[in-house]
Amino acid sequence: MKVFHLLLNILWLVCCGLWMAIGYLIAALICFVLIVTIPFGIASLRIAGFVLWPFGRTTVERRDAGAGSVIGNVIWVVFAGWWLALGHLITSIPLFLSIIGIPFGWANLKLVPISLMPLGREVVPTDQAFGAR
């Protein structure tokens, strides 16, 4: 299964992963420059790593996430989340138009909710036991 994930991740990287990760890195740099938004920059870097190499990993809600994450996600959507979600939508269109890219198009659309609400989530391996999450 690990070899299959490696193959999918390499194809994903070429098709759209690199471009979307660059988008998240730009969002993180902007957040770091504005100093007050450093927590958003950290979340953006975490999601950039996930978008760069998504197969074999998933995101789960953190148990300690509270009202601060909800408020932060609202602020994130207004300032950065909407254009990152739009980037996922735009990059999924050419993937859907090619026969081979259809699974990657679906994977790209599955990343839209994470791009809109990155705070209060963590990236975990998919082979981790469900009870351990």
Side-chain angles (χ1 to χ4, degrees), residues 27-96:
L29 288 174
I30 293 169
C31 290
F32 289 140
V33 167
L34 298 175
I35 298 176
V36 175
T37 55
I38 287 176
F40 298 113
I42 294 169
S44 185
L45 285 178
R46 183 177 57 247
I47 302 302
F50 178 60
V51 168
L52 194 62
W53 208 254
F55 295 99
R57 300 188 302 167
T58 189
T59 61
V60 294
E61 289 185 28
R62 290 179 39 197
R63 294 175 194 230
D64 61 345
S69 294
V70 174
I71 294 167
N73 280 329
V74 170
I75 295 169
W76 173 262
V77 166
V78 171
F79 291 105
W82 68 270
W83 65 268
L84 290 168
L86 184 64
H88 283 293
L89 289 172
I90 290 170
T91 56
S92 69
I93 292 170
L95 291 170
F96 279 122

Side-chain angles (χ1 to χ4, degrees), residues 10-19 91 95 100-101 104:
I10 290 170
L11 289 172
W12 171 265
L13 186 67
V14 172
C15 291
C16 67
L18 182 63
W19 303 112
T91 56
L95 291 170
I100 274 185
F104 294 123

